[in-house]
Each structure stands twice: as C-alpha cells, then as structure tokens.
C-alpha cells in the first residue's frame, strides 16, 4: 500500500481484501489495542461506574486541515469534551469514516495519525469503527462520526436545575480563535490565528474532583459560540445572565480579525473552551485552579446569573450601556466542526 500515491476507490468500502488491507496496514497501525484488535462489529468494554455518559457527534469541517489541527484531532477532542461536560471520565470512542472515492491515502493516514495522538493524550481507546466509501462529489473528502462513553464521576451533578441566581460564569480563555482560524484557512487570510482545538480532561477533571458540589453546570461553547450557549442556558432556566464585555478574554489578533470581517466574537465557534457556572463562594479558588493549567491560563469571570433579566443574556458594554445578546437563527460560518 503506497500511501503517498494511492487514492481511495469504491473497493475500499466493499468489505473485501482492500478494506481488510486498509484496516490492517493503516487503522491498526495507529489505533491498535486489545479491544479493537478483535475486529468485531461491536466492542465489550469494562466500566466500574454504574452511571455511564454517552455521546455521539459528526464532523464535516471544511477545510479538513487547518492551522495547528485537522478533522481527526477535532473529532476526538470534540467527543471527549462532550463527555467531560457532564462530569465523566472519557474512556472509549468509536470512529466511523465516510470517505469519498479518490481521497488521498496519504491524507487519510495523516488524519488517522492525528486521531491516534489525540486519543493517547487523553487516555481513551478507539474500540470500534466503520468505513464507507461513496462516489466522487458525494462528500468533501471525508466525514467522521464518533461516539463516546465515559464513567460518571461520583458526587458530581452538572445540570440546568442546579444553576442559581448570583452564580458566577467562568470561561477558561480566549474565545473565537477556532472559527476565525477556519475562515482564515478557507479563504487564505493571514490573521496569525490558531484553532484552540484541544481535549480538556487535564483542565476539567482536577477542578471537578476538587469542587464537586460547587460547580453547578458546564458547557463547551462550540457551534454558535459563547452567545448561543448562554442563550441555551437561559432558555432552560428562565433566569437571566449578565456578561461584562471588558472581562471576556479575546486576543488582539482575534479582535482585529473580527473587526476586519465584521464578525461578532461572541458568536464564533470554539473547540477548546469550557463555560463553568459556579457558586460565587468558590469562584476565586476555581479560577486559581484553572490558571495552573496551560489551557486555563487566561481564565476569567465574565458574568453572573440573576433574576432581573429573566430568560435573557445581557452584555454590559465598555461604555457602560447594556445590549441584549440574542440567539442567531443562522450560522455566520458553516462547516466549522
């Protein structure tokens, strides 16, 4: 199998010799483990916890490769982060690929290698998967679907029902870099921005273990960005949220890019950020703990929950006025994950 020159043909998805060669010489090269090596259609996995967290997601990002990341790392990190947000330790991930006929095997190896690196970093196993090959022009190169299983951390409860007035809202760093890096790669723009695509277990798990009862809710503000996620929260709780424009972490490069492109950073996608809603009495300790990790170095309290602005997200601007942050009906930048 010559990865540098060979292209994916429909025969690779037919279940015959070429598919088995792909599994043996590429997938198992990077993803081998005792569970996956059995190559059965499902996997038997062991979990100590009685409470299991389960998620599934699909990734159709365009372009497939972007600054500092690619669709493979994005798929693993996105799935792991979704498991973390409900207070679980990620354990197992499935990997299903829809590949377009003619796709480069060299590019496929690059993506599988990224999957391998991301999974090993987060100590999760890729335990089952599938490959389908479709005709040319049926998809943009490759689409990835993942599912993930995590073990619930005892005594944690992260739920809308636990959010209370006067809770503080924390984010772990600069927003908008993922969405802006995608549009930069797509349009060949030079904004000197990197995607924040990262799995967050090293940041989130120590904080969860230390502040199990004081952290009331967590979400990763991916598609739709910070504004959409906060609107989803007030939609469920019917409480209000006030955020402070001056306290929202935004890099100078991201601010410049948004001004040039006419984009609001609050609506730009993130792939390495977490919103934590916490009891105000532990806010300082949570911030201190987050800042010890490189992914939380720029953590900031950006607002609080209240009753005054029922079911609305309101931003206090730099000049002291207030504006309502609404949920947009469309996506200013599709295909970002």
């Amino acid at each position: 199998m010559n990865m540098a020159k060979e292209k994916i043909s429909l025969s690779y998805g037919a279940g015959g010799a070429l598919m088995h060669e792909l599994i043996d010489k590429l997938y198992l090269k990077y993803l081998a483990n005792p569970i996956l090596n059995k190559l059965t259609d499902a996997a038997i996995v062991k979990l100590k916890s009685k409470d299991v967290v389960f998620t599934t997601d699909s990734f159709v990002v365009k372009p497939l490769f972007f600054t500092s990341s690619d669709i493979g790392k994005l798929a693993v990190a996105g799935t792991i982060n979704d498991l973390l947000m409900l207070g679980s330790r990620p354990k197992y991930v499935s990997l299903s690929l829809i590949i377009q006929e003619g796709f480069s095997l060299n590019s496929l190896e690059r993506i599988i290698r990224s999957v391998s690196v991301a999974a090993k970093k987060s100590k999760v196993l890729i335990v089952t998967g599938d490959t389908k090959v479709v005709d040319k022009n049926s998809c943009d190169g490759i689409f990835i679907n993942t599912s993930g299983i995590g073990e619930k951390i005892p005594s944690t409860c992260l739920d809308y029902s636990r959010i209370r007035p006067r809770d503080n809202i924390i984010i772990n760093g600069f927003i908008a870099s993922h969405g802006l890096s995608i549009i930069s790669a797509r349009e060949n723009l030079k904004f000197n921005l990197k995607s924040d695509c990262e799995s967050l277990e090293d940041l989130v798990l120590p904080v969860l273990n230390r502040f199990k009862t004081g952290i009331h809710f967590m979400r990763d503000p991916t598609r739709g960005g910070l504004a959409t996620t906060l609107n989803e929260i007030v939609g469920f709780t019917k409480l209000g949220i006030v955020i402070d424009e001056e306290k929202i972490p935004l890099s100078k490069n991201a601010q410049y890019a948004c001004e040039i492109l006419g984009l609001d950073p609050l609506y730009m996608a993130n792939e390495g950020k977490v919103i934590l809603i916490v009891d105000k009495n532990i806010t300082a300790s949570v911030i201190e703990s987050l800042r010890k990790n490189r992914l939380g170095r720029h953590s900031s309290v950006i607002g609080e929950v209240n009753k005054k602005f029922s079911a609305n997200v309101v931003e206090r601007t730099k000049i002291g006025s207030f504006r309502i942050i609404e949920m947009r009906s469309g996506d200013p930048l599709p295909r970002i994950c």
Side-chain angles (χ1 to χ4, degrees):
M1 182 181 289
N2 188 335
M3 292 291 180
K5 296 182 179 180
E6 197 163 347
K7 305 290 184 181
I8 293 290
S9 68
L10 290 172
S11 297
Y12 278 98
L18 280 177
M19 174 175 278
H20 285 83
E21 184 179 5
L22 191 68
I23 293 169
D24 290 338
K25 294 187 177 180
L26 178 55
Y27 298 166
L28 292 181
K29 175 181 177 181
Y30 292 102
L31 307 177
N33 62 71
I35 300 173
L36 183 64
N37 293 352
K38 295 179 180 180
L39 299 180
T40 50
D41 287 337
I44 298 174
V45 297
K46 295 181 180 180
L47 297 169
K48 295 178 181 178
S49 174
K50 293 182 180 178
D51 294 318
V52 173
V53 177
F54 178 73
T55 187
T56 190
D57 208 345
S58 296
F59 299 86
V60 297
V61 66
K62 183 180 181 181
L64 301 174
F65 303 96
F66 45 94
T67 310
S68 77
S69 194
D70 58 51
I71 191 173
K73 179 180 179 181
L74 179 64
V76 175
T79 304
I80 287 171
N81 291 343
D82 284 347
L83 293 171
L84 290 167
M85 294 306 106
L86 283 181
S88 75
R89 293 183 182 87
K91 300 290 290 185
Y92 304 108
V93 172
S94 70
L95 181 72
S96 291
L97 311 174
I98 299 174
I99 309 172
Q100 182 172 277
E101 179 187 11
F103 191 68
S104 161
L105 266 170
N106 189 50
S107 294
L108 180 59
E109 180 173 23
R110 183 176 169 187
I111 290 166
I112 297 300
R113 186 165 55 239
S114 287
V115 168
S116 173
V117 171
K120 288 176 181 175
K121 173 185 173 294
S122 299
K123 297 182 176 61
V124 300
L125 295 179
I126 309 296
V127 294
T128 190
D130 186 46
T131 297
K132 295 292 188 292
V133 179
V134 297
D135 296 326
K136 288 183 179 179
N137 303 318
S138 295
C139 73
D140 287 334
I142 186 170
F143 295 159
I144 297 179
N145 173 269
T146 55
S147 293
I149 294 174
E151 289 184 325
K152 185 77 165 51
I153 299 171
S155 301
T156 58
C157 180
L158 304 173
D159 190 80
Y160 291 112
S161 64
R162 297 196 64 228
I163 299 173
R164 298 285 184 268
R166 302 186 71 188
D167 280 354
N168 285 156
I169 302 166
I170 298 171
I171 194 163
N172 64 305
F174 297 135
I175 65 169
S177 61
H178 176 72
L180 291 170
S181 72
I182 293 295
I183 195 170
S184 296
R186 194 176 293 175
E187 304 298 335
N188 196 27
L189 303 174
K190 307 297 182 183
F191 287 125
N192 193 27
L193 285 163
K194 294 182 179 180
S195 170
D196 64 343
C197 179
E198 289 285 352
S199 53
L200 297 171
E201 72 284 343
D202 288 344
L203 177 76
V204 167
L205 291 178
V207 175
L208 275 181
N209 283 320
R210 182 178 173 188
F211 305 104
K212 288 180 180 178
T213 58
I215 297 176
H216 296 161
F217 188 78
M218 295 196 311
R219 273 289 297 276
D220 49 339
T222 52
R223 286 176 297 175
L226 179 62
T228 299
T229 301
L230 294 179
N231 269 284
E232 289 171 353
I233 292 169
V234 299
F236 275 96
T237 64
K238 306 307 178 186
L239 294 168
I241 284 178
V242 179
I243 57 175
D244 193 323
E245 183 182 12
E246 286 192 317
K247 295 181 179 179
I248 296 170
L250 183 67
S251 72
K252 290 182 179 179
N253 287 344
Q255 182 177 1
Y256 173 73
C258 285
E259 289 172 354
I260 292 295
L261 297 171
L263 297 169
D264 189 332
L266 294 181
Y267 294 92
M268 300 305 295
N270 312 276
E271 288 294 345
K273 295 296 170 287
V274 54
I275 296 168
L276 304 96
I277 299 183
V278 308
D279 186 314
K280 65 183 182 64
N281 294 314
I282 66 164
T283 297
S285 297
V286 172
I287 289 286
E288 181 184 10
S289 181
L290 290 170
R291 288 178 178 173
K292 291 178 181 178
N293 186 286
R294 66 178 182 86
L295 299 177
R297 196 169 297 140
H298 300 286
S299 296
S300 175
V301 181
I302 62 171
E304 69 174 14
V305 180
N306 66 24
K307 290 183 178 179
K308 182 178 180 181
F309 300 103
S310 178
N312 283 296
V313 179
V314 176
E315 181 182 58
R316 183 184 294 110
T317 69
K318 293 178 182 179
I319 62 172
S321 62
F322 290 87
R323 68 164 178 147
I324 294 177
I325 306 297
E326 297 179 323
M327 183 181 292
R328 288 185 176 170
S329 58
D331 189 346
L333 185 64
R335 302 283 300 278
I336 47 78
C337 65

